[in-house]
Amino acid sequence: GGMLTDEQIASFRENGFLYCGPVLTDTELADLRAALDRVTAGESEKSPEALRNLTGDPENVVTQIVNIWEAEPAFARHLHN
């Protein structure tokens, strides 16, 4: 990338973000979704550091996954992007 245009700077100042188009390809997104499904189902070869429901209520689940990249290579590939 190069320098931002005046229009991009103005848009950022007005909206607080810049839309730069898709970050992931459809294939990468599908791989990450499948990896997330494996982790949450406990089907990964390795386990993340933590995988828990923060609410403790099975009817109102808020899942926290710590270091998912340790469990799934699909996430590790994007660690430094």
Side-chain angles (χ1 to χ4, degrees), residues 30-80:
D31 290 346
L32 289 168
R33 286 181 172 154
L36 179 61
D37 288 345
R38 285 190 298 274
V39 170
T40 57
E43 298 172 353
S44 293
E45 287 186 28
K46 298 180 182 178
S47 296
E49 186 174 319
L51 173 61
R52 60 183 163 254
N53 177 1
L54 295 177
T55 68
D57 178 359
E59 299 298 318
N60 185 26
V61 176
V62 176
T63 302
Q64 178 187 36
I65 304 171
V66 178
N67 295 342
I68 193 170
W69 60 271
E70 293 177 342
E72 281 289 339
F75 285 95
R77 282 192 291 276
H78 296 282
L79 188 62
H80 299 288

Side-chain angles (χ1 to χ4, degrees), residues 15-35:
N15 301 306
F17 69 92
L18 283 177
Y19 178 74
C20 297
V23 175
L24 301 171
T25 67
D26 290 343
T27 300
E28 290 169 326
L29 188 55
D31 290 346
L32 289 168
R33 286 181 172 154

